[in-house]
Amino acid sequence: MECNEWSERNHSLNAFNLALKIGTHGLIRDIVLDLASDGSVIVWGRARNYYAIQLAVCATREFGNRRHLFPKTRLLLSVGESVVDLEIVHPEYEKQDRPLPTPRPHRRISMTMTAAMPAAMMDVIGSVESL
């Protein structure tokens, strides 16, 4: 892995860590993020309650929808003596290869007429064309 690639991934993990802390309002402690071999992220942490896990799921989905950096996230969060293991797939990550829309300067504005256009509208168009 090149230095730039590592730096970008590290920056992404730091941004995700911050999003989790903010999104869970600090209810998850000892957060550790790791990058798996398939490019997904593994999150370990201790949650104060199950509500904190719900917040973590929401924060993870929101981050995944805004930034398409990881194919999936695995949350391994402990609440007391039990461990909750969740896998959240980010479907937008796979759609990144789709063609980009036409840039604004190269777009053409066009209007198409439908076959079921009301007769009143046809009269307006006819009167404009006769000018």
Side-chain angles (χ1 to χ4, degrees), residues 27-115:
L27 294 175
I28 297 182
R29 295 167 294 180
D30 304 327
I31 296 175
V32 177
L33 300 175
D34 194 13
L35 197 59
S37 60
D38 64 350
S40 62
V41 177
I42 302 171
V43 179
W44 288 278
R46 292 185 308 141
R48 292 189 181 181
N49 49 36
Y50 288 100
Y51 175 66
I53 293 175
Q54 289 176 329
L55 291 175
V57 169
C58 290
T60 300
R61 284 184 177 159
E62 185 178 327
F63 186 83
N65 289 337
R66 281 188 291 121
R67 297 189 180 186
H68 314 294
L69 304 171
F70 314 115
K72 62 184 173 183
T73 302
R74 185 173 178 195
L75 296 175
L76 290 165
L77 303 171
S78 63
V79 179
E81 296 296 318
S82 40
V83 175
V84 177
D85 185 355
L86 301 169
E87 189 170 281
I88 300 165
V89 178
H90 307 291
E92 288 297 320
Y93 179 83
E94 295 158 2
K95 295 180 185 176
Q96 284 185 2
D97 294 334
R98 67 183 182 272
L100 296 174
T102 306
R104 280 197 187 275
H106 302 290
R107 293 182 190 169
R108 288 184 288 162
I109 299 173
S110 62
M111 183 174 146
T112 58
M113 302 294 179
T114 62

